[in-house]
Structures are given as structure tokens and as C-alpha cells.
Amino acid sequence: MQSQQNPPEQLIEPEPKQKAKAQDNPIDIFFKEFYAAYLEHVKKAQGAALEEVQGLENTLALNLHIQRLQQIFLAVTKLEQSGESDSFEGMLIGPFDGYGSIRKFGAQALFSCSLLSGGEIFGSLFRGRLVGEWLEEGRESRKGEILKTSEGFYALCVWDGQQDLLFVDNEALWFTENYSQAQLPLEQTPEDWASWRYFNGTFIEAEAFSKRITEGE
């Protein structure tokens, strides 16, 4: 006769601890939102740039403006969360070699990057305003500022003494290469300061849309 044996008791294994969900890089989130709004218009502008010399010049100036903003902000957008803390840090991935970190304090984020070239980039994100400054020995300070408002995005860049301003709303791009004011023109309409706008597939110079406003009055 076979001996009856009780089946072995099944061991209950403890459930593995769930890891906290990694946070997204706050600078990356904000910059991508701005860039997506910009791309909605610029994809159409590429075709118009080939049709006339002025359109090409406008497109090149706009591309240079965006490239400079990317140089100030893009490297820090690649930093990943450090453990389960509110910090993001690591080696920079992008056009620079160095080390960067982001510290979150509630809705605010501070970032800094030390470049192997000897320069540094630092800035903050607070209440819909992303600002950054790039300091390097022997060169003028380069600064970038992107502000999100209910109407759209302002993007200001100061580079080697030149100050350019872009405004992106749902309908058009507004741009000027020589913005002379110390603050963003939040109390003005884009027609008051822009050199041109790209609207509905067409570049319109300041004289043209200013004239339309006058005639409309």
C-alpha cells in the first residue's frame, strides 16, 4: 500500500514593493510644450521660405533663434530622476560635455550645469516662466527666457549682444531680431513690436499689418 502523504504547504511569498513612479523632467515637459506649439507653424513656413528671398531670411533668423534657445536649455532636459528624490542629475547628453542637476521645490525647479569647457548654465522654472543663463569666460552672457501665458508663448534670447523675441499663439508666429525693451511686452499687442509675422501660410512684414490696422481704424 502506498503511504498517504500530505501535499507540501504552498509558501506565500511577500508581494514585491512597488517602486515609486519616476517623475518626468520638469524642464523637458515645459520645453517640449513650447517647441510643439512652435512646430505647428514652422512646418508650414519651410515651404514659404523657398518662394521668396524675404521668406528665406525670416526662416533662417527664426531657426537660429530656436537653436540658441536649445543650446541654453536642451542639455538639462535629458537629465533623469535620481533615485526616489525630487532631484534629476547626471552627465549631460547633447552638444556639451559636463554634469548637470535639477532640484524641484514644489512647483519650482532650479537647475545648474557645469561644463568641461569651463562654462556654466543655470536657471529656473517657476509659474510658467523658464529662464536660463550661460556664462563662459571671455564671452558676453547669453540668456534665454520662455514664458507661457493664456495667449501663447514668449521666447526671448540674448546672444552676444543681440536680443531677439518670438511670440507663438494659436494663429501666428511673431518675431523681431532687435528687441530693444528690458521686459517682455505683456501689455502690448504683437503688432506693436514684431518685425514680421507668419500667418496662414504667408510672411507679413510689419509695415503691411500695421497699415491694415490703421486702415481698419
Side-chain angles (χ1 to χ4, degrees):
M1 296 179 62
Q2 295 180 350
S3 61
Q4 295 182 351
Q5 296 181 351
N6 294 327
E9 295 182 0
Q10 293 184 350
L11 298 177
I12 300 177
E13 297 181 358
E15 294 183 1
K17 293 182 179 179
Q18 293 184 349
K19 293 183 179 180
K21 185 179 179 181
Q23 299 182 47
D24 292 324
N25 183 316
I27 311 301
D28 186 42
I29 294 173
F30 186 86
F31 195 88
K32 280 181 176 178
E33 187 178 358
F34 155 70
Y35 195 69
Y38 158 78
L39 280 182
E40 286 296 317
H41 299 291
V42 81
K43 287 177 182 177
K44 304 173 185 177
Q46 301 300 330
L50 302 177
E51 298 175 4
E52 51 182 331
V53 174
Q54 187 60 52
L56 177 59
E57 292 178 352
N58 291 344
T59 301
L60 292 175
L62 183 59
N63 287 344
L64 181 60
H65 181 65
I66 295 297
Q67 289 171 11
R68 288 171 171 174
L69 289 171
Q70 288 175 329
Q71 288 192 63
I72 295 174
F73 296 115
L74 206 56
V76 74
T77 66
K78 307 300 181 183
L79 297 177
E80 297 183 354
Q81 186 178 8
S82 177
E84 297 181 2
S85 67
D86 286 337
S87 64
F88 300 73
E89 55 188 344
M91 301 304 295
L92 298 177
I93 301 174
F96 308 111
D97 292 323
Y99 184 85
S101 65
I102 303 172
R103 298 287 184 268
K104 282 187 64 179
F105 304 92
Q108 184 176 12
L110 304 176
F111 67 88
S112 62
C113 301
S114 297
L115 310 179
L116 294 182
S117 63
E120 60 177 324
I121 300 174
F122 56 90
S124 64
L125 172 62
F126 186 56
R127 292 184 177 177
R129 186 187 298 266
L130 175 64
V131 296
E133 185 170 3
W134 181 2
L135 298 178
E136 193 168 20
E137 187 175 354
R139 295 196 63 168
E140 292 188 47
S141 169
R142 286 156 284 183
K143 302 177 182 179
E145 178 179 355
I146 301 174
L147 175 66
K148 180 182 179 181
T149 70
S150 58
E151 289 79 25
F153 287 91
Y154 289 90
L156 175 68
C157 186
V158 181
W159 195 278
D160 294 341
Q162 181 176 335
Q163 186 164 263
D164 301 340
L165 177 62
L166 167 69
F167 179 62
V168 184
D169 63 20
N170 292 329
E171 297 182 348
L173 294 175
W174 307 80
F175 186 76
T176 183
E177 288 188 73
N178 296 294
Y179 180 67
S180 58
Q181 301 180 43
Q183 297 179 342
L184 294 178
L186 301 181
E187 304 300 324
Q188 297 177 294
T189 63
E191 289 91 343
D192 294 328
W193 55 264
S195 299
W196 56 262
R197 71 174 174 178
Y198 180 74
F199 172 70
N200 198 25
T202 305
F203 283 105
I204 303 174
E205 299 301 311
E207 295 80 2
F209 56 71
S210 297
K211 182 178 179 181
R212 293 181 185 180
I213 294 173
T214 304
E215 290 176 349
E217 296 174 348

